Amino acid sequence: MIRSDKRALVVGAGVIGSAIALELSRAGWAVTVIDKFASAGAGSTSASSAIVRYHYNHLPETALAWEAGKRWMDWGGYLGSADPRGLANFIRSGALVLDGALMDREVCLENLRALEIPVEELTPERLRELFPALDISELGPPARVEDDAFWRDPAGELGAYWVPDAGHVDDPQLAALNLAHAAAANGAVFRFKATMRELVVRDGRVGGVVLEDGTTLEADVVINAAGPWSQQVNRIAGALSDFAVSTRPLEQEVISLPLPEGFELGASGTCINDADFGTYFRPHGHTLIVGGMEPECDPLVFLDSPEDARASVRADTWEVQSLRIARRIHGAKVPSRPSGIVGVYDVTEDWIPIYDRTAIPGFYVAIGTSGHGFKQAPIVGEIVARLVDACENGHDHDRDPLTLKGSYSGAEIDLGHFSRLRTAVPQFGMS
């Protein structure tokens, strides 16, 4: 058992870092969280589309998403404490995945069924009946507006599958604040506007961190959950010597359009992955938020630092994404003035997160979440608590990867899938 006098320091108070703080404090650790912003969830979490989906190409990620989804569905019960600001709400709007080259339909379906996650395959006829606002023509593969292929005549009609228990969280930053509040109720301490300057290493293992203002915070373990800043934190720590998978900040643009008539929640409105035309979108109040699925024709904008991200969406992103929606949803309107937000992902080559120890004893990472991190956050807290418990008590996770048994699915989740030592296979444009 971990002794209650053990001290943990978490770098990052986004949804991931706050979830880790909650689970470590529940496990008896004295937890301190530092974050460069003024409150929990004020960084990349605040720009999340907050979609909670379960269709993935790999079973461990499907299992993590499903386990986390069950916690989102019972958010108050999972937190175990009231928050005077109120609680973020999980909106069970479902997820519709249109057939297309950007998703491996059969593999995703196999994983969903292996975990007994409800899913229904839809014929074009059934798709038209359930979602009349959609044009189900086969419009892909994705192309840019200036390419004649964008305007090609439809080649046929699409099928799809429907996952009714998916959905989205209505306020991603509030969700992080809820986690931080619950962690504080268990004794965690949050220090905002605080950044790490140096990792303290004594006798070959972590001893704490030095902040930019010169303050030293003693700690027995340090967890890097800094999101798009994770690469910078790893470099400061000198922890990258044996990483086979790297992380990089990737600029992400999400545009906003007026909600088309008939696409309201309760009507055709749902979370949609358009694997045919390269977008994902969902209702958000009176608007429709639209992001990209990274098809090959859409340029990837990697950054040296998250601070280099643009302040507003690019005109060409606005044009191509809005016109894709105009072709996909009947009656969609495209305003003359672009609207949207720019966020930053922390991505790996294979778009699979890294939840692992490092070569520095006592230094752990929960990074490279590649846009998946928000939905996985509640279970990631449990993963890190399991890793820290086992490794600090002598387990060699590199030689004998741990598993985590899902409390809802019963699945034995192979945590080696998220190892820093894995062989990465680039999968841009996939699920």
Side-chain angles (χ1 to χ4, degrees), residues 246-250 302 345-349 351 368-371 428:
S246 62
T247 64
R248 297 174 69 186
L250 175 68
F302 288 103
Y345 281 176
D346 183 32
V347 302
T348 61
E349 293 91 337
W351 290 69
T369 51
S370 308
F428 290 116

Side-chain angles (χ1 to χ4, degrees), residues 60-343:
E61 290 161 84
T62 306
L64 281 196
W66 182 236
E67 289 291 327
K70 288 292 190 178
R71 289 154 177 80
W72 288 116
M73 293 176 201
D74 182 26
W75 191 231
Y78 168 70
L79 294 171
S81 62
D83 188 331
R85 291 163 294 210
L87 297 181
N89 295 302
F90 174 74
I91 310 298
R92 185 180 174 272
S93 57
L96 180 69
V97 186
L98 300 177
D99 289 345
L102 299 183
M103 281 284 184
D104 191 330
R105 173 192 176 107
E106 295 308 316
V107 170
C108 290
L109 286 172
E110 180 182 345
N111 290 337
L112 291 167
R113 288 170 176 149
L115 297 173
E116 299 182 349
I117 300 172
V119 60
E120 178 185 357
E121 295 187 74
L122 304 178
T123 63
E125 294 74 23
R126 183 64 172 156
L127 189 52
R128 275 193 299 270
E129 177 186 345
L130 292 177
F131 301 97
L134 293 180
D135 182 336
I136 64 167
S137 299
E138 184 180 331
L139 303 173
R144 304 296 289 181
V145 173
E146 60 272 16
D147 188 338
D148 288 343
F150 185 94
W151 308 101
R152 67 170 67 87
D153 291 332
E157 290 188 323
L158 298 170
Y161 58 90
W162 164 247
V163 186
D165 289 330
H168 65 274
V169 175
D170 64 348
D171 189 333
Q173 186 172 3
L174 180 57
L177 289 165
N178 293 158
L179 287 162
H181 182 270
N186 279 273
V189 175
F190 286 75
R191 295 181 61 137
F192 295 108
K193 297 186 178 179
T195 56
M196 173 178 155
R197 187 178 77 194
E198 179 185 343
L199 182 72
V200 176
V201 178
R202 299 191 186 100
D203 299 324
R205 63 163 295 115
V206 161
V209 303
V210 179
L211 304 182
E212 283 291 349
D213 66 4
T215 302
T216 298
L217 300 177
E218 302 288 336
D220 301 287
V221 300
V222 172
I223 300 96
N224 178 1
W229 290 267
S230 71
Q231 185 184 69
Q232 295 178 9
V233 172
N234 279 339
R235 285 175 176 165
I236 290 169
L240 291 169
S241 62
D242 65 349
F243 275 62
V245 187
S246 62
T247 64
R248 297 174 69 186
L250 175 68
E251 186 176 270
Q252 284 289 307
E253 299 171 280
V254 176
I255 72 165
S256 178
L257 296 169
L259 189 66
E261 185 177 349
F263 203 75
E264 301 84 5
L265 290 171
S268 289
T270 186
C271 299
I272 293 184
N273 276 107
D274 188 346
D276 173 58
F277 219 22
T279 64
Y280 69 84
F281 48 96
R282 70 164 177 85
H284 183 72
H286 298 294
T287 64
L288 184 76
I289 60 174
V290 185
M293 293 180 65
E294 292 79 41
E296 289 186 6
C297 62
D298 290 355
L300 297 172
V301 181
F302 288 103
L303 307 172
D304 292 329
S305 170
E307 283 84 359
D308 296 334
R310 296 172 59 90
S312 58
V313 296
R314 292 171 296 173
D316 60 336
T317 300
W318 166 263
E319 180 182 44
V320 70
Q321 297 294 53
S322 61
L323 289 176
R324 284 169 180 165
I325 292 300
R327 295 200 67 190
R328 181 61 74 200
I329 303 179
H330 299 301
K333 295 179 173 61
V334 180
S336 58
R337 180 176 297 179
S339 176
I341 60 172
V342 180

Side-chain angles (χ1 to χ4, degrees), residues 65 314 321 343 395 408 414:
R314 292 171 296 173
Q321 297 294 53
H395 183 81
Y408 290 93
D414 174 17

